[in-house]
């Protein structure tokens, strides 16, 4: 997915409600994992074709092709790896696809690799923690490439329900009390976070008329690799 916009993609991008998932809890009755509902529905929502018959969702349609290819030659499982990539909305979908593919398809060659470009946030803190746990198991890895201060990568910060809760808390204590009593408030579990290793690309002036470039690699907020500018000088 290149991330080029149409009305359908716009609608999915802006449906920022949090979709609570139970697939990753032991008894499938309670889970703290919340995923951006618009992204989830884009990948897992069923579609209706012209003869009104329900079709496979995009995730299962793609996985069917992958499994068919791998089953056609047993050697493929040792000679090939699965890479998933996307830009903007496509980056969010690639992140979500890799997460589910590595979770529910153990026969796939490991690790499943996601390379996203300018991806928005996909899930809450528990989603990010579970994603990191899969990375530590060696079944998933994610390189997230982003330009410095790209606004797409800065959001969404919270679900629409959490945004309403925060606004009501600030503007109307009485309204917040009513919201809480009605059970329609949302806690910090509906705040979104990024996943994977981040590659931040920067452009900045390093001298008069000299534009430098640098690249930062970070994981869980800790920077551990810095690039250099155009003159080959280290940039701290």
């Amino acid at each position: 997915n290149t991330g080029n916009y149409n009305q359908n993609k716009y609608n999915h991008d802006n449906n920022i409600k949090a979709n609570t998932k139970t697939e990753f809890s032991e008894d499938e009755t309670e889970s703290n994992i919340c995923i951006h509902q618009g992204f989830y529905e884009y990948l897992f929502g069923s579609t209706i074709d012209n003869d009104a018959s329900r079709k496979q969702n995009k995730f299962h349609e793609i996985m069917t092709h992958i499994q068919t290819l791998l089953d056609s030659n047993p050697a493929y499982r040792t000679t090939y790896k699965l890479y998933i990539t996307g830009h903007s909305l496509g980056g969010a979908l690639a992140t979500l696809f890799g997460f589910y593919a590595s979770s529910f398809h153990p026969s796939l060659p490991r690790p499943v690799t996601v390379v996203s470009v300018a991806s928005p946030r996909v899930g809450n803190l528990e989603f990010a923690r579970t994603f990191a746990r899969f990375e530590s198991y060696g079944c998933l890895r994610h390189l997230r490439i982003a330009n410095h201060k790209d606004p797409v990568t800065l959001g969404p910060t919270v679900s629409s329900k959490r945004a309403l809760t925060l606004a009501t808390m600030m503007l109307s204590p009485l309204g917040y009390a009513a919201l809480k009593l009605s059970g329609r408030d949302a806690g910090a579990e509906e705040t979104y976070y990024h996943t994977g290793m981040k590659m931040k690309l920067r452009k900045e002036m390093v001298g008069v008329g000299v534009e430098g470039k640098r690249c930062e690699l970070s994981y869980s907020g800790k920077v551990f690799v810095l690039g250099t500018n155009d003159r080959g000088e280290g940039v701290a």
Side-chain angles (χ1 to χ4, degrees):
N1 188 308
T2 63
N4 295 327
Y5 257 56
N6 57 33
Q7 185 63 44
N8 187 42
K9 291 178 183 177
Y10 176 85
N11 291 339
H12 282 288
D13 249 9
N14 286 276
N15 184 2
I16 62 173
K17 291 188 292 183
N19 192 335
T20 301
K21 308 309 298 174
T22 62
E23 296 99 316
F24 304 96
S25 61
E26 293 183 2
D27 57 5
E28 295 195 2
T29 58
E30 184 177 356
S31 173
N32 291 321
I33 291 180
C34 295
I35 295 172
H36 184 293
Q37 185 164 323
F39 300 153
Y40 184 88
E41 289 179 352
Y42 195 101
L43 190 61
F44 289 97
S46 299
T47 58
I48 306 296
D49 62 16
N50 293 331
D51 63 1
S53 61
R54 190 168 294 276
K55 298 171 65 176
Q56 280 187 317
N57 62 50
K58 294 180 179 66
F59 176 83
H60 289 107
E61 182 180 355
I62 295 169
M63 282 306 310
T64 297
H65 290 300
I66 294 172
Q67 292 288 5
T68 299
L69 178 62
L70 292 175
D71 291 343
S72 68
N73 188 334
Y76 287 167
R77 296 189 183 276
T78 58
T79 56
Y80 287 93
K81 299 287 187 181
L82 177 60
Y83 285 79
I84 308 147
T85 186
H87 169 256
S88 191
L89 169 59
L93 298 177
T95 303
L96 195 54
F97 188 100
F99 182 71
Y100 272 85
S102 65
S103 305
F104 297 108
H105 293 270
S107 63
L108 289 176
R110 302 304 175 115
V112 172
T113 300
V114 176
V115 180
S116 67
V117 181
S119 172
R121 297 180 175 100
V122 174
N124 69 346
L125 182 59
E126 191 60 31
F127 172 81
R129 285 172 173 167
T130 304
F131 198 104
R133 189 165 70 249
F134 292 166
E135 289 178 310
S136 71
Y137 294 160
C139 57
L140 176 63
R141 59 185 176 182
H142 179 199
L143 176 63
R144 183 171 58 85
I145 303 170
N147 284 321
H148 181 51
K149 294 184 179 179
D150 181 350
V152 174
T153 66
L154 302 179
T157 54
V158 297
S159 69
S160 53
K161 189 176 179 181
R162 177 63 173 163
L164 174 63
T165 299
L166 292 173
T168 306
M169 285 174 66
M170 290 186 294
L171 300 175
S172 174
L174 185 60
Y176 174 64
L179 191 69
K180 195 172 183 65
L181 286 172
S182 68
R184 290 182 293 164
D185 62 319
E189 71 278 358
E190 294 198 10
T191 299
Y192 293 119
Y193 291 82
H194 276 302
T195 62
M197 180 181 294
K198 180 181 181 180
M199 177 185 287
K200 181 189 291 185
L201 308 178
R202 291 176 177 264
K203 283 186 178 182
E204 53 196 11
M205 300 305 294
V206 295
V208 179
V210 180
E211 183 183 72
K213 299 177 182 179
R214 70 170 175 173
C215 168
E216 297 177 357
L217 284 180
S218 61
Y219 189 78
S220 296
K222 182 178 181 180
V223 178
F224 58 91
V225 175
L226 294 177
T228 59
N229 61 38
D230 284 348
R231 295 181 296 186
E233 301 167 338
V235 180

